Amino acid sequence: MRASFRQFRSAFRRRGDNVLPYRGNNIFNGFAKGKKFSDCMHSQLLCSFPQYADFCRYRHPSYIISRAFSVDAATVTNGEISGAGPLAEYERRIAAGELVDGDICQLGTLRELQRLYDELVEKSDACRLDRYATSEKAGRSRWLWSRFIPQSSYAPVKGLYLYGGVGTGKTMLMDMFFEQLPSNWRKKRIHFHDFMLNVHSRLQRHKGVSDPLEVVAGEISDEAILLCLDEFMVNDVADALILNRLFRHLFGEGSILVATSNRAPDNLYERGLQRDLFLPFIALLKERCVVHEIGSSVDYRKMTSAEQGFYFVGKDLSSLLKQKFFQLVGEHKAVPQEVEVVMGRTLRVPMGANGCAYFAFEELCDRPLGAADYFGLFKKFHTLALEGVPIFGLHNRTAAYRFVTLVDVMYENKARLVCTAEGTPVELFDRIVTIADAQQIAPRTSSRSRKNDDSDLCVDNELGFAKDRTISRLTEMNSREYLEQHAEMVAEKQLMMQEDSSTNVVQA
């Protein structure tokens, strides 16, 4: 199937760690031709005051990377590449000039994904991947039938758990793998937050069953044997307590997991409440998945070029943000609205119009809201104007957690952020540190006490690890490339709405 360069580029950058730079950007032309990439990368995120002008200048290390691929995965014959799978697709895109070479760490991950792809193709029948060859049963029927005839059986293929730092390409590589899988397979690619919201919603529907988690696992495995979960991150005690039993049932139903995460399995839910009950899940995860680390010193998100006008640093900038908001709204009238979220709840939007919503930070992150509310918000709105993002510390740790979740959901939905903040993305999280970071902070040698300096220091491992991802995403969300991607998404939705409207008129 042929696809245009624009489609390739859109698919390639659609989600997650938009990493490998593409030939369409002139910044990378020298590197794409194999030349040394030195001092040619200059990105600057907008800050409204001169003193912040340099905060987002990122430089790519000068290096030339040689590729060493498996000949079996992709071979070149008369300029054409034969083979199938993510590694072969990567080679095809490079040969066609749509992508440039990545780093050696990503290539190692591609080999792991290619190995998994080959095993799945070879054992697709045993794994029951073909949705048309598998009889469909309702979740409750499967559960009832399993009471009489136990059907627990692990898949003959182990999954893959990819972890590494922010911006190293985990999401992009998993998406490339997922897109190469046959369309008739029972497969699903979903963000971990969204997956867990779906699980809780299903549990609500099956109240009264002796083991609702088994019913839910049966339903999920009926729909998708191969689960690709992006951003696997556990910081909620309710999720932590059900994951072991849920995945024990899922793996028992033959499910295969491919996951990406910033954390190694042993570091998931670190120092969380009742973590001893979560530890069996870690053992199960390592038993049913090959664990692979993506090591890279490059955050490719920070290599994007900057676009002015969406991230304003400083206090008392409410009038400036509202002016920007009303420019985006245009001739439409902004009014209070309500958005439906899961399980019948609603979220009140102070001002909304033309796909744009306006919130003060406190209204969105200082209230008991979570991922479900944010997903509901961005099903209706594609742009968020957020006023007054504060510097985070011990005094507002809960709000920091919500802000991290908000940015994750926005990034997953390709939403646009227009905001005012008390500092640059790096400065917002400067007081959030991991335990290891806190231990490395040297005691002050002068007679002056550190008590006042450190009174707002927040030592939190989960938040400390998550902040790097959030800083990286905030940087990318203000880049020209991301905003172009956002505009394409909005245009596609508007076109679909127009087509649906025309169809309804014709039918009427």
Side-chain angles (χ1 to χ4, degrees), residues 37 55 61 80 118 126 135 269 273 277 280 303 311 318 320 328 367 372 380-381 385 412-413 431 435 447 465 508:
F37 188 164
F55 108 88
E80 295 186 358
D118 292 338
S135 60
Y269 198 52
L273 294 173
L277 300 178
M303 293 170 59
Y311 190 105
S318 175
L320 178 62
L328 295 172
R367 294 172 52 206
K380 184 170 183 180
F381 296 95
E412 178 72 7
N413 285 275
R431 298 173 187 169
I435 294 173
S447 58
F465 279 104

Side-chain angles (χ1 to χ4, degrees), residues 300-317:
Y300 290 93
R301 294 199 194 107
K302 293 179 179 178
M303 293 170 59
T304 53
S305 57
E307 175 81 13
Q308 293 189 347
F310 293 102
Y311 190 105
F312 303 97
V313 176
K315 296 183 178 180
D316 303 321
L317 296 176

Side-chain angles (χ1 to χ4, degrees), residues 211-229:
D211 190 350
L213 275 173
E214 185 175 5
V215 178
V216 170
E219 289 180 344
I220 293 172
S221 60
D222 275 341
E223 296 166 7
I225 281 291
L226 182 62
L227 284 174
C228 293
L229 302 185

